[in-house]
Amino acid sequence: MFGVVPKPLWEKRIRPDERNRIRLAMRCLLIEHPDGLVLVDTGLGNKEDAKFRDIYGVENAGPGGRTRLEAALAEARYHPEDVRWVINTHLHFDHAGGNTWSDGTEVRLSFPNATYLVQAGDLDFARQANERTRASYLPPNYEPVAQAGRFRLLKGDTEIFPGISVRLIPGHVPYLQGVLLESGGERLFYVADLVPTRHHLPLPWIMGYDVEPLRTLETKRWLVGAARAGDWLLFFEHDAEVIMGRLNEDERTPGLTNILEATSDG
Ligand SMILES: [Zn+2]
């Protein structure tokens, strides 16, 4: 998760277990919009086998064979059928795995009434996976959506609805998109894998998964400027402890103010 950053540096911030794993979240975002419920990313889903779940230490199971995502929707008094739009930041398995689910015999759309929004470039990139990228793009997470004609493919920065727009934030993958929300004079940016946790705020702390790390560096430089100028809340998808916060003033050791901490495992 920390690429070329030496372990003696990163383990001071976040303790690995005996298998060198760190605790991470797969935090989706549900937006109640006048045009319908919008869900940003869908987590891992339920389709992976025991070996896969053991390697990553996945804790994602929910009631009825579904996942914690559906359980969280139910807590908010919604059903999967109520979700009208799904925005995939990209199609990696921990972001789009919950696009579909297995009922034990077949793979179905998790949100049967939703249109799924993704960058056209990321779907192409997924379909042209090579030896380096293949392990992250698993066709059962997106081909059933394509076969059902439920993708709306975006080309670059796009306003989806008033108050909801996507921005290209390339580097992790060439067509990663973040989601900018504006409501009541506040702005929140869902940074996805550009800054997966608050520990990745320093510019050179870049994941080894990134296919274009120097582009990530420049995109992060843009993000820091834009977030400071616009007073954005930054929403972290993978940080197990911090949901979101604002950047502090310290240019050299970027940290957060107005932190909202996660209060449970959910
Ligand atoms: Zn990713």
Side-chain angles (χ1 to χ4, degrees), residues 198-216:
R198 70 192 188 284
H199 306 298
H200 294 83
L201 284 170
L203 293 185
W205 288 51
I206 293 170
M207 288 193 285
Y209 294 110
D210 289 21
V211 297
E212 299 175 310
L214 296 180
R215 272 184 103 189
T216 296

Side-chain angles (χ1 to χ4, degrees), residues 90-92 118-127 137 173 175:
H90 61 310
L91 295 171
H92 279 172
V118 71
Q119 288 290 323
D122 194 59
L123 183 59
D124 285 346
F125 193 68
R127 286 173 164 170
Y137 284 111
V173 289
Y175 295 90

Side-chain angles (χ1 to χ4, degrees), residues 90 92 94-95 172-173 176 193 207 209 238:
H90 61 310
H92 279 172
D94 53 325
H95 300 258
H172 175 65
V173 289
L176 181 66
D193 276 348
M207 288 193 285
Y209 294 110
H238 288 311

Side-chain angles (χ1 to χ4, degrees), residues 80-99:
E81 291 75 16
D82 299 329
V83 175
R84 185 68 189 82
W85 311 90
V86 172
I87 300 175
N88 285 135
T89 60
H90 61 310
L91 295 171
H92 279 172
F93 62 73
D94 53 325
H95 300 258
N99 283 359

Side-chain angles (χ1 to χ4, degrees), residues 171-193:
H172 175 65
V173 289
Y175 295 90
L176 181 66
Q177 60 183 358
V179 183
L180 182 64
L181 307 181
E182 301 185 58
S183 177
E186 285 249 66
R187 268 170 281 189
L188 178 150
F189 194 59
Y190 188 96
V191 292
D193 276 348

